Amino acid sequence: MSVEIGRSGEDRAADFLVRQGGEILERNWRNRWCEIDIIARIDGSVRFVEVKYRKQVGYGTPLEYITATKADRLRRASLAWVQAHRYGGPYQIDVVSIVGDIGKAGVEWIESAITD
């Protein structure tokens, strides 16, 4: 997948989250473990959002492409953000799954997709 398509997917996900009442805090936050695609505040909770795009699901859904290793990295990166920002409130790791042609793809928001 090209960087341009990936960025388009993240833009689409960010727009979707804003329409759901979210506030985008950061995009593409990185640390030594992982990159977090979107960090948003929604309903008083910080959401660490992994965006997964697939044009087709013949080889698996976007959620199925999140390996145990990737999930662990997202957990560690989220905790690092929480500690770096001295954030003491609720947070969770969500996934936004995008399937289809990027301009008219279906968007699914899976809340608390990655847990301990």
Side-chain angles (χ1 to χ4, degrees):
M1 177 168 45
S2 74
V3 172
E4 183 178 306
I5 292 172
R7 180 73 61 197
S8 294
E10 289 175 9
D11 289 345
R12 180 105 192 244
D15 291 344
F16 174 84
L17 293 170
V18 167
R19 285 194 312 276
Q20 304 307 309
E23 170 192 2
I24 305 301
L25 302 176
E26 296 189 51
R27 291 192 50 186
N28 304 111
W29 185 84
R30 297 172 190 233
N31 72 358
R32 65 187 234 192
W33 293 289
C34 190
E35 176 182 305
I36 299 174
D37 295 328
I38 299 171
I39 302 172
R41 185 181 330 274
I42 302 170
D43 295 331
S45 175
V46 168
R47 311 294 181 97
F48 300 99
V49 182
E50 174 70 7
V51 179
K52 286 294 186 191
Y53 166 74
R54 292 290 174 267
K55 188 169 185 167
Q56 306 173 50
V57 294
Y59 293 105
T61 66
L63 190 58
E64 292 173 319
Y65 276 84
I66 299 176
T67 65
T69 300
K70 176 68 172 187
D72 186 53
R73 287 180 180 159
L74 286 166
R75 282 186 208 94
R76 289 190 288 163
S78 300
L79 184 56
W81 186 93
V82 164
Q83 291 172 340
H85 290 80
R86 299 181 190 271
Y87 177 73
Y91 68 93
Q92 65 192 51
I93 302 171
D94 298 349
V95 172
V96 170
S97 170
I98 302 171
V99 177
D101 289 326
I102 199 69
K104 52 190 169 195
V107 177
E108 180 182 9
W109 177 19
I110 303 128
E111 297 184 72
S112 294
I114 298 171
T115 60
D116 289 336

